[in-house]
């Protein structure tokens, strides 16, 4: 997959560029990050012992889901449970993308940005990403990685 990088001076310039790409049909999914780190699931940015603790917390979260009248209908959908957990800031193996450049810009500029770091908006094509994952799955002979589209109503 060919990657290109364009630098701008403000988050508004980055947002305008992402919106331009979307309107041109060049890119259709976006990811905002407060730093220009590799696109890696949050749980994989942790040490092994931290990951083990996070997995225990995810299991506790799944138990809470099972006992919650608002969410217990989802208990058999592990992807949905993980997506909810991620939105409650529990580290998961998921990497969020959005169809909205505005939402990506929010995450690129939300919170404390460390001195010397740069927020960024990744722009991608869903069809190209799916094709790349298909090639990777063939090579790995596994169903991982996969793209899961999940909409959780009334999350907040």
């Amino acid at each position: 997959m060919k990657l290109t990088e364009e630098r701008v001076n403000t988050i508004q310039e980055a947002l305008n560029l992402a919106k331009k790409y979307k309107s041109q049909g060049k890119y259709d999914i976006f990811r905002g990050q407060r730093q220009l780190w590799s696109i890696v699931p949050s749980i994989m940015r942790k040490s092994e012992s931290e990951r083990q603790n996070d997995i225990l917390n995810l299991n506790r979260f799944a138990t809470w889901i099972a006992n919650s009248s608002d969410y217990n209908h989802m208990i058999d959908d592990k992807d949905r449970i993980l997506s909810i957990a991620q939105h409650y800031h529990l580290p998961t193996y998921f990497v969020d993308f959005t169809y909205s450049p505005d939402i990506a810009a929010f995450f690129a500029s939300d919170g404390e940005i460390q001195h010397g770091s740069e927020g960024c908006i990744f722009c991608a094509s869903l069809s190209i990403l799916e094709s790349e994952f298909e090639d990777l799955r063939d090579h790995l002979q596994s169903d991982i990685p996969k793209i899961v589209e999940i909409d959780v109503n009334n999350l907040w």
Side-chain angles (χ1 to χ4, degrees):
M1 182 179 337
K2 183 182 178 218
L3 301 176
T4 60
E5 180 180 306
E6 294 192 40
R7 292 188 176 267
V8 294
N9 294 318
T10 67
I11 191 63
Q12 188 60 52
E13 289 177 35
L15 175 59
N16 291 343
L17 192 56
K19 285 182 173 182
K20 176 181 141 188
Y21 289 151
K22 183 174 182 166
S23 71
Q24 293 171 340
K26 185 173 182 178
Y27 301 115
D28 54 359
I29 58 174
F30 307 90
R31 174 177 172 77
Q33 296 183 171
R34 289 187 317 240
Q35 295 182 40
L36 186 57
W37 56 63
S38 297
I39 299 178
V40 175
S42 56
I43 202 165
M44 297 306 295
R45 292 184 224 134
K46 307 278 191 109
S47 70
E48 182 61 33
S49 62
E50 289 172 318
R51 268 198 301 275
Q52 293 306 315
N53 188 55
D54 290 336
I55 290 169
L56 289 173
N57 286 334
L58 287 170
N59 287 330
R60 287 186 198 111
F61 187 79
T63 300
W64 176 79
I65 290 282
N67 294 309
S68 169
S69 61
D70 290 337
Y71 298 118
N72 64 4
H73 65 282
M74 300 179 197
I75 195 60
D76 293 326
D77 189 343
K78 288 181 177 46
D79 290 336
R80 182 163 282 217
I81 291 170
L82 287 174
S83 71
I84 295 169
Q86 184 158 317
H87 284 277
Y88 283 108
H89 302 286
L90 290 171
T92 72
Y93 292 97
F94 284 1
V95 175
D96 280 337
F97 279 83
T98 178
Y99 291 108
S100 169
D102 291 293
I103 291 172
F106 170 80
F107 283 104
S109 60
D110 181 43
E112 183 178 326
I113 296 179
Q114 295 177 353
H115 179 72
S117 68
E118 298 175 301
C120 59
I121 299 175
F122 287 94
C123 306
S125 164
L126 183 56
S127 62
I128 292 172
L129 194 59
E130 286 174 333
S131 174
E132 293 289 330
F133 280 3
E134 185 67 34
D135 291 346
L136 188 56
R137 283 191 298 273
D138 290 346
H139 179 73
L140 295 174
Q141 298 180 352
S142 167
D143 65 344
I144 303 170
K146 63 182 178 179
I147 296 173
V148 180
E149 187 170 337
I150 299 173
D151 182 21
V152 181
N153 294 327
N154 301 319
L155 183 59
W156 303 109

